[in-house]
């Protein structure tokens, strides 16, 4: 009995000094992190770190496909749906943060320590709702992160081709797959401080380059803005926007890396408001300039004239996609480590070696399905709709379905929506809307479009939407693919 009591006291002592909880120890760690050069660049856990991580993770290659989405659905729908899904995404990110805090507070009462353990979303679902929800959360989250990583590799190959087209896109995918595999050496989200900061700077430059270049270039001769004119294209574009604001698959890991995760609640909303200043002007300007030409150019770089500014934007996006690949892969690394029993290992090299099998299927899938724009929409409809919107809303409703759960909740309803009934109504709306519009219509449209790309270009396409070879005769050619 005495030994058990001493063990419990030790566990409580360890738990109380965890950097996720208020106290003097936390203040000393935070102060130390500000003073140490190594911590300044490497070990982050502040509110600012979380904000940079959320904003940086939200806008990567999708900046280049939003003009394509605008051409499918028109300017007005494009802008309105960005605002709508941005707000919807911020709400479900808030729900995830509330559920994380609820899970942590319950485990705290059981004297559970997470000193060498990173909490993930499927574990939150398991702790609050049971093993079936764990399985569902794990399945959707891992599949989404897998294809999110695939998209980054495809985007790398697509972008570098506009600087150097001596190699085809498939060869570039091989090269960047090897480069991105080096992310196995980054231990956790604590270590993305400098990368998140740089990543957001890169996307900010790229977004304003797209905006200014499109306005300076002006409207092309005979420009047409016919969208929306087909339901398939409309809902394909809508699901790409749904995907844009679906960076929640790493929300729990970002929260866990914070010194004070309770402060996360509104960080995603503030990050989304900043992202609006990048996505709306750039997509609107490029669509205004090129109109329906974008229907055959899912990467906005392909239409802008070659210049030093464009090459700089391409290079910065390549670096950022490497960072985003790491963001998407790190939770997969954690899951794999837990499966093979390597999660507690302190050796970085040993963990990196154990993580390598995660990269191989990502590399392979990027070579099979190199369809830059259409794959974004397919992932948005089939995976993001559940992972980001439906599952968090349902999980919140079920976690607080009992009066006792609501009464003892670690986090009460927000000040702007103080009623539990109002929260239930909003969550129910999110579930129904995304299930019908996002998964239903969006799934049908995006898969129809995706199958069409497979039929046109085939699997293992060597150079998707590359320039066609010049014609033998001097006869006019209809719309070459770029």
């Amino acid at each position: 009995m005495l030994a058990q009591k001493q063990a419990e006291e030790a566990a409580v002592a360890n738990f109380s000094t965890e950097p996720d909880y208020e106290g003097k120890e936390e203040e000393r760690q935070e102060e130390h992190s500000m003073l140490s050069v190594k911590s300044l660049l490497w070990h982050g856990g502040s509110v600012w770190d979380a904000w940079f991580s959320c904003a940086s993770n939200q806008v990567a290659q999708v900046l280049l496909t939003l003009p394509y989405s605008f051409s499918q659905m028109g300017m007005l729908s494009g802008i309105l749906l960005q605002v709508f899904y941005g707000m919807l995404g911020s709400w479900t990110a808030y729900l995830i943060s509330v559920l994380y805090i609820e899970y942590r507070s319950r485990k705290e009462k059981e004297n559970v320590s997470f000193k060498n353990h990173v909490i993930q979303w499927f574990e939150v679902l398991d702790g609050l709702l049971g093993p079936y929800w764990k399985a569902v959360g794990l399945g959707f989250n891992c599949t989404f992160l897998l294809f999110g990583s695939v998209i980054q590799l495809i985007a790398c190959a697509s972008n570098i081709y506009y600087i150097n087209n001596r190699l085809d896109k498939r060869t570039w995918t091989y090269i960047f797959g090897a480069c991105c595999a080096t992310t196995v050496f980054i231990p956790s989200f604590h270590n993305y401080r400098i990368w998140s900061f740089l990543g957001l700077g890169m996307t900010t430059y790229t977004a304003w380059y797209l905006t200014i270049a499109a306005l300076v270039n002006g409207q092309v001769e005979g420009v047409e803005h016919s969208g929306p004119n087909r339901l398939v294209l409309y809902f394909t574009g809508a699901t790409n926007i749904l995907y844009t604001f679906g960076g929640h698959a790493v929300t729990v890991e970002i929260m866990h890396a914070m010194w004070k995760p309770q402060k996360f609640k509104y960080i995603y909303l503030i990050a989304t408001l900043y992202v609006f200043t990048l996505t709306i002007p750039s997509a609107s300007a490029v669509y205004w300039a090129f109109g329906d030409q974008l229907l055959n150019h899912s990467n906005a770089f392909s239409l802008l004239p070659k210049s030093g500014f464009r090459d700089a934007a391409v290079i910065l996006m390549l670096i950022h996609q490497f960072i985003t690949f790491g963001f998407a892969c790190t939770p997969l690394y954690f899951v794999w480590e837990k499966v093979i029993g390597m999660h507690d290992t302190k050796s970085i090299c040993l963990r990196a070696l154990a993580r390598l099998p995660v990269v191989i299927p990502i590399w392979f899938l990027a070579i099979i399905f190199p369809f830059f724009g259409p794959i974004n929409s397919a992932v948005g409809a089939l995976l993001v709709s559940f992972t980001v919107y439906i599952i968090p809303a349902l999980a919140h409703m079920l976690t607080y379905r009992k009066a006792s759960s609501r009464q003892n909740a670690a986090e009460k309803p927000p000040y702007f929506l103080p009623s539990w009934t109002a929260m239930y109504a909003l969550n129910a709306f999110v579930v129904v809307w995304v299930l019908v519009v996002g998964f239903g219509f969006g799934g049908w449209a995006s898969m129809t479009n995706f199958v069409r790309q497979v039929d046109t270009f085939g699997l293992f396409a060597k150079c998707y939407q590359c320039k066609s070879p010049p014609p033998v005769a001097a006869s006019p050619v209809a719309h070459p693919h770029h």
Side-chain angles (χ1 to χ4, degrees), residues 63 200-215 274-282 285 313:
L63 264 180
L200 191 59
M202 293 166 187
T203 48
T204 300
Y205 171 87
T206 303
W208 285 108
Y209 158 73
L210 291 173
T211 306
I212 295 167
L215 294 175
Y274 179 77
V275 167
F276 284 154
T277 69
L278 306 181
T279 58
I280 294 175
S282 60

Side-chain angles (χ1 to χ4, degrees), residues 271-441:
T272 299
L273 294 177
Y274 179 77
V275 167
F276 284 154
T277 69
L278 306 181
T279 58
I280 294 175
S282 60
S284 302
V286 175
Y287 178 54
W288 169 82
F290 297 102
D292 289 352
Q293 284 189 26
L294 286 157
L295 289 169
N296 295 317
H297 300 79
S298 54
N299 189 328
F301 280 145
S302 64
L303 288 171
L304 292 164
K306 185 175 176 59
S307 68
F309 291 111
R310 192 192 77 164
D311 289 352
V314 171
I315 292 167
L316 290 177
M317 282 303 290
L318 286 171
I319 299 169
H320 186 259
Q321 277 149 3
F322 166 82
I323 297 167
T324 309
F325 182 93
F327 265 114
C329 259
T330 299
L332 291 176
Y333 296 152
F334 292 156
V335 172
W336 179 245
E337 286 170 359
K338 291 170 185 176
V339 168
I340 64 174
M342 294 284 287
H343 190 57
D344 295 334
T345 304
K346 292 183 179 179
S347 168
I348 292 177
C349 291
L350 202 58
R351 288 178 73 183
L353 192 63
R355 289 172 169 189
L356 276 176
V358 176
V359 180
I360 295 169
I362 294 169
W363 207 349
F364 189 61
L365 286 168
I367 294 163
I368 299 176
F369 304 114
F371 312 125
F372 188 51
I375 198 171
N376 280 9
S377 298
V379 169
L382 304 180
L383 299 172
V384 175
S385 56
F386 281 94
T387 303
V388 172
Y389 300 95
I390 295 173
I391 291 176
L394 278 176
H396 189 274
M397 293 168 75
L398 292 174
T399 299
Y400 298 108
R401 65 189 182 279
K402 295 179 180 177
S404 58
S405 299
R406 295 193 293 273
Q407 188 175 355
N408 299 318
E411 290 284 338
K412 301 300 180 185
Y415 69 91
F416 59 86
L417 202 68
S419 162
W420 284 102
T421 305
M423 288 192 75
Y424 264 69
L426 181 53
N427 287 341
F429 168 77
V430 171
V431 171
V432 173
W433 175 275
V434 176
L435 191 63
V436 174
V437 177
F439 177 71
F441 288 108

Side-chain angles (χ1 to χ4, degrees), residues 119-388:
I119 297 175
Q120 295 188 267
W121 176 229
F122 68 89
E123 292 168 318
V124 173
L125 291 174
D126 184 28
L128 297 177
L129 296 171
Y132 292 111
W133 278 86
K134 173 186 176 180
V136 171
L138 185 62
F140 274 106
N141 224 40
C142 288
T143 311
F144 170 37
L145 290 168
L146 180 76
F147 278 98
S149 304
V150 168
I151 288 168
Q152 300 312 316
L153 279 189
I154 296 170
C156 284
S158 178
N159 290 343
I160 192 64
Y161 186 77
Y162 298 116
I163 289 182
N164 184 338
N165 60 6
R166 288 190 292 275
L167 298 177
D168 58 76
K169 291 181 182 178
R170 189 167 67 192
T171 303
W172 281 119
T173 304
Y174 293 137
I175 294 169
F176 279 101
C179 294
C180 289
T182 59
T183 57
V184 296
F185 289 100
I186 302 177
S188 74
F189 281 98
H190 277 299
N191 314 115
Y192 273 99
R193 165 173 278 185
I194 189 66
W195 295 115
S196 298
F197 176 76
L198 292 174
L200 191 59
M202 293 166 187
T203 48
T204 300
Y205 171 87
T206 303
W208 285 108
Y209 158 73
L210 291 173
T211 306
I212 295 167
L215 294 175
V216 169
N217 189 68
Q219 290 187 311
V220 295
E221 187 178 350
V223 65
E224 292 182 5
H225 301 86
S226 59
N229 57 10
R230 290 172 58 195
L231 279 178
V232 169
L233 293 180
Y234 185 88
F235 284 108
T236 301
T239 50
N240 188 41
I241 293 176
L242 180 89
Y243 170 82
T244 303
F245 298 97
H248 306 33
V250 295
T251 299
V252 170
E253 288 83 358
I254 291 172
M255 282 189 72
H256 190 81
M258 291 179 70
W259 295 317
K260 298 179 182 178
Q262 295 88 344
K263 292 187 174 183
F264 183 87
K265 288 182 287 187
Y266 304 116
I267 287 176
Y268 198 90
L269 172 62
I270 300 167
T272 299
L273 294 177
Y274 179 77
V275 167
F276 284 154
T277 69
L278 306 181
T279 58
I280 294 175
S282 60
S284 302
V286 175
Y287 178 54
W288 169 82
F290 297 102
D292 289 352
Q293 284 189 26
L294 286 157
L295 289 169
N296 295 317
H297 300 79
S298 54
N299 189 328
F301 280 145
S302 64
L303 288 171
L304 292 164
K306 185 175 176 59
S307 68
F309 291 111
R310 192 192 77 164
D311 289 352
V314 171
I315 292 167
L316 290 177
M317 282 303 290
L318 286 171
I319 299 169
H320 186 259
Q321 277 149 3
F322 166 82
I323 297 167
T324 309
F325 182 93
F327 265 114
C329 259
T330 299
L332 291 176
Y333 296 152
F334 292 156
V335 172
W336 179 245
E337 286 170 359
K338 291 170 185 176
V339 168
I340 64 174
M342 294 284 287
H343 190 57
D344 295 334
T345 304
K346 292 183 179 179
S347 168
I348 292 177
C349 291
L350 202 58
R351 288 178 73 183
L353 192 63
R355 289 172 169 189
L356 276 176
V358 176
V359 180
I360 295 169
I362 294 169
W363 207 349
F364 189 61
L365 286 168
I367 294 163
I368 299 176
F369 304 114
F371 312 125
F372 188 51
I375 198 171
N376 280 9
S377 298
V379 169
L382 304 180
L383 299 172
V384 175
S385 56
F386 281 94
T387 303
V388 172

Side-chain angles (χ1 to χ4, degrees), residues 5-72:
K5 186 177 180 181
Q6 288 175 339
E8 288 176 357
E9 287 174 354
V12 171
N14 286 335
F15 196 64
S16 66
T17 59
E18 274 288 291
D20 295 335
Y21 292 88
E22 310 260 352
K24 291 182 181 178
E25 177 68 23
E26 176 187 72
E27 290 172 7
R28 283 198 294 270
Q29 284 191 336
E30 190 165 351
E31 184 181 0
H32 175 72
S33 79
M34 294 298 176
L35 297 175
S36 165
V37 174
K38 181 181 177 182
S39 295
L40 184 66
L41 299 176
W42 183 249
H43 189 81
S46 69
V47 169
W48 280 104
D49 288 308
W51 183 82
F52 278 116
S53 292
C54 288
S56 177
N57 189 48
Q58 212 174 112
V59 283
Q61 94 299 330
V62 79
L63 264 180
L64 310 176
T65 62
L66 283 173
Y68 168 66
S69 297
F70 272 42
S71 71
Q72 294 171 319

